[in-house]
Amino acid sequence: MSRSLLVAGALVAGVLAAPPALAQETVTIGAIEILSGPSAAYGVAIRGGLELAMDEINAAGGVLGGRKLALIVEDSAGNKDQAVNAARKLIGRDKVPLIIGPTLSNEMFAVGPVANERGIVMVGTSTTAVGITEIGPYIFRTALPESDVVPVTLKTAQEKFGVETIAMMYANDDAFSKSSFDSMKAAADKLGLDIATIETFGSKDTDFSAQLTKIKSLDVDAITISALVEPISGVVLQARQLGIPDSVLLIGGNGANSPKLGEIAGAAADGMLVGSPWFIGKPDEMNRKFVAEFEKRNGMPPDQFAAQAYDTMYIVAQAIDRAGSAESDKLREALLQTDYTGVMGPFSFTEGRDPASAEGVVVLSMKDGKFEIVE
C-alpha cells in the first residue's frame, strides 16, 4: 500500500474516532417545543431564548471549566404522542441528562411521567397548569403557575376598571386552558365577582357566536378567556364584530400573553388585560440587553416565553457547574439550590420545584398590537 493511502486511512480513522472525543467537550441537553402548527409562536420564542442564552454562556467559557453547551430541540407540533416520542429519542438515543419543555401543560402531563420514570430532569418554562411538579421528583418548572398570576390580573380589573360582573369562557379540551379557568374562577370567587355565565368551546373551534351572543345580552363588565392564543384571538375578534362594546373589558390568561394576539386580532385586542411575570419594558440593563439581542437575532421582540426560556438556560448552566457533572441525579439536587437573578428578576425553586415567588407579576394591556404596563 502506498504511503499516501496509509495517510488517507489514518485521516479517515482520525475522523471516525473524533466524535467520542468531541462529545467530551460538550454537554448536550434536550428541549421539546412546539415549532409547527397553530401554537408554534410559543415554541419558536422559547427556542430563541434558549439559543441566545446558550450562545452567551458558551462565549463566556461554557460550563464545567470549558465544555460547551449543545442543544437538541425536538418539535412536538403540540401533539402529546409526538412529544412522548421526542422524549424517548432524547433520553434513549441522544442520552441527554436534562430536557427543557415541553411547551404546553397537557404535553407535560403525557411526557413528564416518561422522563421521571427514567430519572431524567425536565424543566418546564411555560407549563402553568396546577399539578405539573406533582408528576414526580424530577419535574421542575420556571413558569409561574396560573394560580399565582390570574388573581393579580382580576384584582387589577376590579380595582382599576370597576369590574363587578363577568362572563367566563374557556377551552374545555386541554389541561392548560381548564387549569387556567379553574384559577380564574377561584380568584373571581375570592374577590366576590358576580359570574353571569360560564361558556365553553373547543381549542380548534372557530365560531364562538352562540356563546358571545348570549354574553352580549347579560350586561357584564368583562369577559375572561382561558385558552391558547389562537382561539383567544378568535373570541376577541368575534366579540367586537358582534357588537360587544369596548367598555366590556377582555381579560386573558397566560395563553394570551403573546404578540401573536395583536397580529391575529388587531385593534379588537386593544385594552385586553393579561398578567405576566415579565415585561419587555423593564428598565434594568440585563433586560435591555436581552431584548435588543433577541430582536437582532430573531427579527421580532421577545415575549414572556422567550424571557423565561433565556433565564432557564442560565439556571441549568449554573446547576451543571454547581453539580460538577451533567448527571441527572446531581443536576436535580443542584437545581434545588438555585439562587439566580435574571431578566425575570430573582429566582429560586421551592422544595416542590415550583418558582418560589410571585412578587414580580405585572398586569399588561394591549395597545396597537403591543403590551404596555397598567400603571
Side-chain angles (χ1 to χ4, degrees), residues 189-255:
D189 289 340
K190 188 172 182 179
L191 290 168
L193 298 176
D194 179 27
I195 301 174
T197 187
I198 297 173
E199 302 294 324
T200 64
F201 54 87
S203 58
K204 298 185 184 302
D205 288 355
T206 56
D207 183 1
F208 313 96
S209 56
Q211 298 96 320
L212 290 168
T213 298
K214 177 180 177 181
I215 290 170
K216 185 180 177 182
S217 69
L218 294 176
D219 191 28
V220 299
D221 301 316
I223 304 171
T224 70
I225 313 165
S226 302
L228 297 173
V229 68
E230 291 270 350
I232 286 178
S233 301
V235 171
V236 167
L237 272 171
Q238 288 188 23
R240 299 313 187 203
Q241 289 168 353
L242 288 169
I244 294 176
D246 292 347
S247 59
V248 176
L249 197 64
L250 300 174
I251 303 171
N254 197 47

Side-chain angles (χ1 to χ4, degrees), residues 331-352:
L331 281 178
R332 180 189 177 280
E333 295 305 315
L335 280 169
L336 289 170
Q337 301 165 24
T338 296
D339 183 7
Y340 174 74
T341 297
V343 298
M344 304 287 295
F347 185 90
S348 60
F349 287 108
T350 66
E351 290 185 5

Side-chain angles (χ1 to χ4, degrees), residues 84-308:
V84 168
N85 288 336
R88 288 174 174 156
K89 172 189 172 293
L90 289 169
I91 296 168
R93 192 175 81 182
D94 300 315
K95 308 297 183 185
V96 300
L98 180 145
I99 297 173
I100 295 173
T103 306
L104 301 181
S105 295
N106 60 331
E107 294 177 302
M108 181 64 96
F109 285 123
V111 174
V114 174
N116 191 73
E117 181 181 343
R118 289 161 176 76
I120 300 297
V121 171
M122 294 197 78
V123 184
T125 69
S126 55
T127 45
T128 58
V130 172
I132 291 294
T133 52
E134 294 171 12
I135 292 170
Y138 288 87
I139 309 303
F140 292 71
R141 64 172 158 192
T142 53
L144 274 178
E146 286 274 80
S147 55
D148 286 339
V149 177
V150 295
V152 180
T153 313
L154 286 184
K155 186 176 181 181
T156 299
Q158 184 184 55
E159 293 180 349
K160 291 187 177 292
F161 297 94
V163 169
E164 296 179 356
T165 303
I166 64 173
M168 307 189 76
M169 298 181 67
Y170 73 97
N172 61 358
D173 58 353
D174 78 85
F176 161 75
S177 300
K178 177 60 167 63
S179 180
S180 177
F181 163 73
D182 289 341
S183 296
M184 282 271 194
K185 187 174 185 306
D189 289 340
K190 188 172 182 179
L191 290 168
L193 298 176
D194 179 27
I195 301 174
T197 187
I198 297 173
E199 302 294 324
T200 64
F201 54 87
S203 58
K204 298 185 184 302
D205 288 355
T206 56
D207 183 1
F208 313 96
S209 56
Q211 298 96 320
L212 290 168
T213 298
K214 177 180 177 181
I215 290 170
K216 185 180 177 182
S217 69
L218 294 176
D219 191 28
V220 299
D221 301 316
I223 304 171
T224 70
I225 313 165
S226 302
L228 297 173
V229 68
E230 291 270 350
I232 286 178
S233 301
V235 171
V236 167
L237 272 171
Q238 288 188 23
R240 299 313 187 203
Q241 289 168 353
L242 288 169
I244 294 176
D246 292 347
S247 59
V248 176
L249 197 64
L250 300 174
I251 303 171
N254 197 47
N257 196 1
S258 169
K260 198 166 183 67
L261 174 67
E263 293 174 17
I264 299 173
D270 281 358
M272 186 166 194
L273 297 188
V274 179
S276 176
W278 175 82
F279 176 51
I280 193 170
K282 285 177 62 178
D284 63 273
E285 181 59 29
M286 180 182 288
N287 190 63
R288 286 201 299 264
K289 179 185 175 186
F290 160 67
V291 171
E293 288 298 319
F294 185 94
E295 191 159 6
K296 179 181 176 182
R297 287 169 60 113
N298 297 280
M300 62 180 183
D303 58 14
Q304 169 203 329
F305 303 99
Q308 287 174 167

